[in-house]
Amino acid sequence: MSAYIHIVDGAPASLPLGKIVCVGRNFADHAKELNNSVPQEPVLFIKPSTALADLGAPVEIPAAWGSCHFEAEMTVLIGQPLTRCSEQQAADAIAGVGIALDLTLRDLQAELKQQSLPWEKAKAFDGACPLSDFVRLPASELQDQQIQLRQNGQLKQDGNSADMITPVLQLLAYISQFFTLQPGDVVLTGTPAGVGPLAPGDELQLNLSTKLNITTHIIERS
Ligand code: ZN
C-alpha cells in the first residue's frame, strides 16, 4: 500500500493522519437502494488512520471476504480542533475538500447487520479509505458540488452535495457533539445512489465538480 499524506492545493499539509468519521445514509436515494430507512439523525461510524490510502495509486481490495463496493463521497479535511462546535466554527476549521472511496465489504456488512453486530470489519479494514488530494473551497460552495464515479467508463454515481440530508457544516457540528475532531481528521459526508461491486482490473474515475478528477485502478491485495 502506498504511503498516504494529506495534500492541500498541491502541497503537503502539516497535518497528522487521524481518524475518519463517516456518515451513513446521508442521501435518501442511496438509503433506498440498500433498503434502509432514512434516519432521523446522522448514522456515524469511524475508520482508523490505518484505513487511509492514496486514491491516485492503485487501490487494493481484499479478496477473502466477499464483495467490496465503491461509495464515492465528498470529503472534508479538519484543520482545527472542534468540540461541540457551531456551524461557523466548523466552517473556519475546514482545511480542504476532497473525494474519497468509502470501501465497504458489502456481504460481510450485511451479515454483521443481520446479527446486530458492529460493522467495523466491513468498513475499517486496512486501505478501506482511499482519499484524493484536497482543494480549498469557500464554505458557500460546499452544498453545490457534483459527486461522480465512473467504472470502466460507465457513469455509476452522479449526485450533488445539495441533496445531502444533513449538510456539511451541520454534520460537523453534530459529529463534534460526540467525537472531538482533531487537526488531520477527515470526515466523509455520505454517498449518493449507484454503489456497486469492484473487480480487480477496474478503472475508476472520480470527480468532484470540475475541481478534482482522479483516475485509479483496482488491484487485488496480494
Ligand atoms: Zn459511505
Side-chain angles (χ1 to χ4, degrees):
M1 201 174 305
S2 66
Y4 170 84
I5 54 164
H6 294 314
I7 293 177
V8 179
D9 285 343
S14 52
L15 290 169
L17 304 186
K19 65 183 173 294
I20 304 140
V21 183
C22 307
V23 56
R25 306 176 201 169
N26 202 23
F27 287 82
D29 58 353
H30 170 63
K32 211 168 132 192
E33 73 177 342
L34 294 184
N35 294 316
N36 288 316
S37 56
V38 174
Q40 299 293 310
E41 285 191 50
V43 176
L44 303 180
F45 60 96
I46 290 181
K47 297 178 191 248
S49 61
T50 44
L52 292 168
D54 179 359
L55 181 62
V59 168
E60 294 187 357
I61 59 170
W65 303 309
S67 70
C68 183
H69 275 207
F70 56 81
E71 296 187 358
E73 308 203 5
M74 190 172 111
T75 303
V76 173
L77 177 63
I78 304 298
Q80 292 164 36
L82 293 172
T83 303
R84 297 183 286 282
C85 71
S86 66
E87 292 184 29
Q88 185 55 52
Q89 288 167 321
D92 294 342
I94 295 176
V97 173
I99 192 158
L101 283 174
D102 169 16
L103 293 181
T104 304
L105 295 165
R106 191 70 72 199
D107 299 336
L108 182 57
Q109 184 195 32
E111 208 179 296
L112 293 166
K113 277 165 76 173
Q114 203 191 0
Q115 297 174 57
S116 301
L117 292 171
W119 302 338
E120 263 84 353
K121 287 191 287 186
K123 287 278 199 182
F125 58 92
D126 287 354
C129 190
L131 288 185
S132 74
D133 289 9
F134 295 90
V135 290
R136 285 181 211 281
L137 194 71
S140 59
E141 293 178 28
L142 285 169
Q143 301 312 137
D144 185 23
Q145 298 301 313
Q146 201 70 22
I147 301 156
Q148 293 180 316
L149 180 143
R150 287 177 175 78
Q151 184 180 30
N152 302 320
Q154 254 197 315
L155 186 62
K156 292 294 180 81
Q157 294 194 272
D158 189 17
N160 194 287
S161 59
D163 296 322
M164 287 178 181
I165 294 167
T166 307
V168 175
L169 298 182
Q170 204 180 312
L171 179 64
L172 297 183
Y174 181 83
I175 289 170
S176 80
Q177 304 297 309
F178 295 88
F179 315 119
T180 289
L181 291 167
Q182 293 181 310
D185 286 353
V186 169
V187 173
L188 265 55
T189 60
T191 197
V195 304
L198 291 166
D202 280 352
E203 181 186 85
L204 297 186
Q205 198 186 331
L206 289 94
N207 288 86
L208 187 70
S209 295
T210 54
K211 297 181 178 64
L212 289 165
N213 179 2
I214 293 113
T215 300
T216 193
H217 291 86
I218 302 300
I219 58 173
E220 197 168 279
R221 186 194 292 167
S222 50

